[in-house]
Amino acid sequence: MPQPSRSLPADTSGAISRFLDALEARGYVYETRRLRAHFLNEYLDYVLGEEQATALPVDELMDLTRAESWIAAAAAGRTRRRNTLTGPDAVAAGNSQRVRIQTWNSFAEYLGLPVRLETPPAVHGDWLEPEESHKLLRTLAVKRPAGSNAATAIRTAAVAALVAATGRSVPDLHRLDVAHVDLEHRPFPQVLLDTGPHPLDKDTAGILRRWLDVRAGITQQLEGSDPGYLWIPTKPGRPRGGEEPPKPGLTRAAVRTLHSAHRNLVLQVFGAPLRPGALLLSRP
């Protein structure tokens, strides 16, 4: 679980750790806890950086004026640590702002502090309608933009389709093996998640079948040593330490590789960056 990146007084770091433990005890999934930790870390770094301090007591950190300044800075892209397809200073997505506020409010509630930020409604623009999602997935599965790798394109479509069908994130699906996918299951194809079997719609099953066919062509070069990872690199990596890179299929494709391929392909096909979780096959 991510922890605050600065040296903080024991009462502050301890409060955050206990808050995250409390979320786990209440049944919150890892991704939610990770997101809460990330935004609390971002908030603490922002406040300490603005005030040129190395530490603040937790009750001073949880101040509405400081929180509102953080939210405004995040909206302007000033808290971002990584570049984006639209530049390092791109404005924050509306629903990212909403999660920041929810995180701050839930931590304040846990601490018993009578302070809250106003939570805005969910911003629909951060998602595609189910009809739009189906259309984009079909396009990703059949369209190969100039300069792109065909195997990478169909893998990207398969990852996006499975995210949309299951509602799980790319990190959640990263550890899947081929054995977890049963496209011949009746009455519906299914994927075995950590929570149990999840049925798949016909379009998702079709895209996954195309990826498995492409994947089989890649792993034929392994001469029977296929370890069975569902998501594999589509081409050799870079040589490291003077050694030859492993053949595609011997390792899992990294989460960052799957995310990067998704961003690049969707930008070419859709004309705008769109995270995998923005594709919904049904209304939540």
Side-chain angles (χ1 to χ4, degrees), residues 10-168:
D11 64 322
T12 301
S13 57
I16 292 173
S17 295
R18 288 190 294 274
F19 169 64
L20 299 174
D21 289 342
L23 292 182
E24 182 175 12
R26 291 167 59 187
Y28 282 72
V29 298
Y30 173 77
E31 284 301 306
T32 298
R33 304 195 313 270
R34 181 188 64 82
L35 206 57
R36 293 285 189 256
H38 170 78
F39 283 132
L40 284 176
N41 187 27
E42 180 188 272
Y43 173 61
L44 293 170
D45 278 352
Y46 172 78
V47 172
L48 294 176
E50 287 292 299
E51 302 191 13
Q52 298 184 346
T54 57
L56 280 175
V58 68
D59 57 342
E60 291 186 31
L61 282 166
M62 297 303 289
D63 172 78
L64 277 176
T65 301
R66 292 185 173 100
E68 289 167 351
S69 175
W70 166 58
I71 292 298
R78 300 207 318 270
T79 63
R80 184 172 287 111
R81 298 176 182 176
R82 300 179 185 176
N83 199 354
T84 71
L85 290 175
T86 53
D89 298 321
V91 298
N95 281 301
S96 292
Q97 289 292 82
R98 189 169 186 267
V99 175
R100 283 184 172 90
I101 292 172
Q102 289 174 329
T103 296
W104 197 91
N105 284 346
S106 61
F107 187 46
E109 181 181 8
Y110 170 79
L111 295 171
L113 300 175
V115 287
R116 298 292 184 275
L117 295 169
E118 183 178 353
T119 304
V123 180
H124 169 68
D126 282 352
W127 291 285
L128 291 184
E129 290 283 355
E131 296 79 8
E132 297 174 306
S133 296
H134 278 288
K135 181 178 179 181
L136 178 57
L137 287 172
R138 286 194 294 268
T139 303
L140 292 177
V142 300
K143 188 171 183 179
R144 178 185 173 187
S148 71
N149 178 290
T152 301
I154 189 58
R155 184 192 66 192
T156 299
V159 172
L162 202 54
V163 168
T166 63
R168 305 293 287 270

Side-chain angles (χ1 to χ4, degrees), residues 143-228:
K143 188 171 183 179
R144 178 185 173 187
S148 71
N149 178 290
T152 301
I154 189 58
R155 184 192 66 192
T156 299
V159 172
L162 202 54
V163 168
T166 63
R168 305 293 287 270
S169 68
V170 173
D172 286 340
L173 303 174
H174 174 243
R175 305 296 296 180
L176 287 176
D177 292 333
V178 173
H180 293 137
V181 178
D182 185 356
L183 300 181
E184 306 306 321
H185 187 271
R186 294 292 180 267
F188 302 107
Q190 65 179 23
V191 58
L192 183 61
L193 304 177
D194 54 3
T195 53
H198 191 290
L200 299 175
D201 62 281
K202 182 178 68 174
D203 288 344
T204 299
I207 295 173
L208 277 170
R209 185 171 282 106
R210 290 191 58 203
W211 161 241
L212 290 176
D213 288 343
V214 170
R215 183 193 175 283
I218 296 173
T219 57
Q220 280 180 354
Q221 307 301 317
L222 299 178
E223 300 177 353
S225 58
D226 180 1

